[in-house]
Every structure is written in C-alpha cells, then in structure tokens.
Amino acid sequence: MNRSSNTIGSIELILAMMLSGTIGYFVISSGQAFWNVVLFRCVIGALVLGSYAYYAGLLRREYFQRNVLLMIILGGMTLVGNWIFLFASFNYIPFSIATVAYHMQPLFLVLTGALLTKEKLSGSLLFWLALAFVGLFLIVELDLSEISALFTGEASSDGSSALFGLLLALGAALLYTVTTLVTKKVSQVPSTFVALVQVIVGVFMLLPFADFDNLPTQTSQWIDLLILGAVLTGFMYIIMYDSFQKLPTNLIALLSFIYPITALFVDHLAFATHISLMQILGVILILLAVSAVKFNWALPRKEPKQAKREKP
C-alpha cells in the first residue's frame, strides 16, 4: 500500500468519523422512533447513492457477480443490524455506557483481523489501543453506580434489564466489525456500489417495522432526516468505505475513536453541556494513541543485560 493511498484513506476516515459524531444530534432532533430513523437513512441514502452511481457509471455488470453480491448483502444486513441494536440499547442503558460498549468495536476489529490474517499483535499496538479506551472512559464520564447496576442484575428505570441493553450495544459492535471486514474483502468493488446495495438491503429489512402513523409534522424534522440520509449516510459511507479499502485494520480501529470525540463537542455546542478537564484529558489520550499508530511510534524496548564475562 503506497503512502499517498494511506494518507487519503486516513483523511477520508477522519472526516467520516467526525460526521458520525453528529448523528446523535440529528436523531434526537428528528423526534422519530429509531425504526423510522434507520429506514429514512436507508431510503434517502439509496436515492443519493443510486443517483451518483448511475451518473458515475458504477452500475456495471461485473459488480453483480453472485459471490461478490452475496458478500455485500451480508455486510448490509450486519450494517443495518448494527444501527438497530445500538439505537435500541439506548432504551435500556445510559448513553454513556452504550457508547463505551459500542466502542469495544476497535478491539474486536483488531483481534478479529489478527485471527483472520494470523498476524501477531505487537505490544505497542495493544498499549496504544488500551490508552484510547482509557481516553474513551474519561470522555463519557461513567457513573460507577450505573456500572455496578449492570452486574448486580438491577433493572433500569423502565423495568427492563440493563444487562440486555449492554448486550445490545456489544452486539452492535460485533455487527459493525463484520461490516468493516466484509467491506475490506470486496475492495475490488467501488465503495459507492457497496454502500448502495447495503442501504437497499436495509430498506427491505426495515419496511415492515416502520411507523408510518407518526411521521414528522415539522419541516425541520424532515430536514434532519434528509441530512441523516443524504450526508450522514450517502456521502459519509462513500468516503468511509473507500477508507476501509485503503487502510490497515489497526489504523481503522484507532481512527474510530474520533467519533466519540466529535460527539462530545457536538453535545457541548448543541445542548450546552459542560466539558470537564477529565474529558479534555480523554481527548488528548485518544489523539495521542491515534497519532502513535498512524506514525508507527514504538514503545522503547529493554535491552537484554549482557552476561558478565567470567574472569580468567
């Protein structure tokens, strides 16, 4: 992989993760149930991606080979399942815990990638990954009482199981890991075509569950859904999938932490939430870890002590 391709892929993924960090705002602002939000993301995203693919000449016969198409469809099912599981987890556990659980995905991605390629994980990579997780915990400011409730079997406020919510968030992380690996597997197919097929799969999956009796009643809500579909699905998945096909798995994993950093500042700007010194420290730790992997910073190794020569 040449340096130019790696740089372009890194820029694309950073931009995609920054856009991802704004999704929560538009989901809340739309006032729609998560089934409707995901459906409109897929419908509008399909229209945008389909139009672009048609005019760019990307709807070619060779991309419709059975094995390739089945792989892309599998990725579409896991992508939509990931959205459903993550949004559903918010009904059972606090957003902060769901965020931490969902961001086990970089670890899942690195470990799964290493198993598939039989590549040995370096101590430096594991250290920087662990440092990024520490930064994530500082950013979301987990409440220890909420964490203990997950493991003591206490119910959430609506009487549902908090542990079930945790499993939903972890399930979303696993599904997203599969989506990422599938996308890398079909690197010979343009990212736009991959994303188009996957959102079309999403439309058929979600149509039976949509609540058409409670559609948006305000223009601003339709604008929110339009942005979610056109920008945060159509455009975002073009550049994100293109980056997946260019970057190594370990760098994809670390750059994924840009998402919670962006979400933190979006929350601050949109809802006037306070950003603490601990959260700023968390941002610094994540950016340090990302830079370390990007520029191949290795931890210093201890030199083995030379055996003392015996005196004659």
Side-chain angles (χ1 to χ4, degrees):
M1 181 184 300
N2 60 60
R3 187 178 298 273
S4 176
S5 178
N6 190 291
T7 301
I8 293 172
S10 297
I11 293 172
E12 287 177 329
L13 189 53
I14 289 171
L15 178 57
M17 290 298 103
M18 291 178 69
L19 290 173
S20 293
T22 68
I23 289 175
Y25 167 77
F26 290 104
V27 170
I28 294 172
S29 181
S30 72
Q32 289 290 289
F34 70 85
W35 291 109
N36 284 14
V37 171
V38 179
L39 175 63
F40 279 110
R41 284 191 74 180
C42 290
V43 171
I44 298 172
L47 292 173
V48 172
L49 290 164
S51 300
Y52 177 79
Y54 176 77
Y55 285 107
L58 298 177
L59 302 178
R60 299 178 184 175
R61 185 183 298 273
E62 59 263 31
Y63 301 147
F64 288 88
Q65 296 177 14
R66 182 181 178 185
N67 291 340
V68 174
L69 202 57
L70 287 175
M71 186 69 69
I72 296 173
I73 290 173
L74 171 63
M77 295 172 66
T78 56
L79 174 66
V80 176
N82 143 72
W83 291 341
I84 293 171
F85 277 32
L86 179 62
F87 292 165
S89 71
F90 299 160
N91 294 327
Y92 299 92
I93 56 177
F95 177 78
S96 58
I97 294 180
T99 301
V100 171
Y102 184 65
H103 278 84
M104 289 296 288
Q105 179 267 332
L107 179 59
F108 294 156
L109 184 58
V110 168
L111 294 177
T112 306
L115 287 174
L116 293 176
T117 60
K118 298 181 180 179
E119 178 184 351
K120 186 177 179 181
L121 296 175
S122 68
S124 294
L125 175 61
L126 292 176
F127 173 80
W128 296 122
L129 192 62
L131 190 67
F133 274 114
V134 172
L136 178 63
F137 272 81
L138 293 177
I139 284 177
V140 299
E141 294 187 322
L142 286 178
D143 187 330
L144 294 178
S145 63
E146 292 174 341
I147 298 175
S148 64
L150 295 178
F151 299 100
T152 56
E154 295 181 22
S156 58
S157 59
D158 64 353
S160 304
S161 170
L163 182 58
F164 180 65
L166 179 63
L167 292 175
L168 284 173
L170 289 173
L174 283 171
L175 290 173
Y176 187 73
T177 299
V178 175
T179 302
T180 304
L181 294 173
V182 166
T183 304
K184 287 180 67 65
K185 192 75 174 176
V186 293
S187 58
Q188 75 277 20
V189 180
S191 58
T192 302
F193 181 84
V194 175
L196 173 60
V197 173
Q198 292 184 342
V199 293
I200 290 174
V201 169
V203 172
F204 286 102
M205 286 178 61
L206 295 162
L207 203 54
F209 303 100
D211 183 6
F212 292 108
D213 293 328
N214 292 291
L215 294 177
T217 56
Q218 300 177 16
T219 303
S220 61
Q221 292 176 314
W222 283 112
I223 292 175
D224 291 329
L225 293 176
L226 181 63
I227 293 173
L228 278 167
V231 180
L232 302 180
T233 303
F235 173 71
M236 189 185 79
Y237 275 88
I238 290 175
I239 61 174
M240 186 167 69
Y241 279 8
D242 194 53
S243 71
F244 286 172
Q245 296 172 347
K246 292 175 180 174
L247 298 176
T249 303
N250 57 358
L251 188 54
I252 292 173
L254 265 295
L255 288 176
S256 297
F257 284 103
I258 299 294
Y259 162 56
I261 292 177
T262 306
L264 172 69
F265 288 101
V266 169
D267 203 28
H268 171 69
L269 293 173
F271 303 110
T273 56
H274 174 68
I275 299 179
S276 68
L277 289 176
M278 294 299 288
Q279 289 175 314
I280 293 174
L281 176 60
V283 170
I284 293 172
L285 292 180
I286 289 176
L287 293 178
L288 176 63
V290 169
S291 299
V293 173
K294 171 64 179 173
F295 298 109
N296 296 315
W297 295 347
L299 298 176
R301 295 182 179 180
K302 290 184 178 180
E303 295 292 334
K305 295 180 179 180
Q306 296 181 347
K308 294 181 179 180
R309 293 181 180 178
E310 295 183 0
K311 295 182 179 180

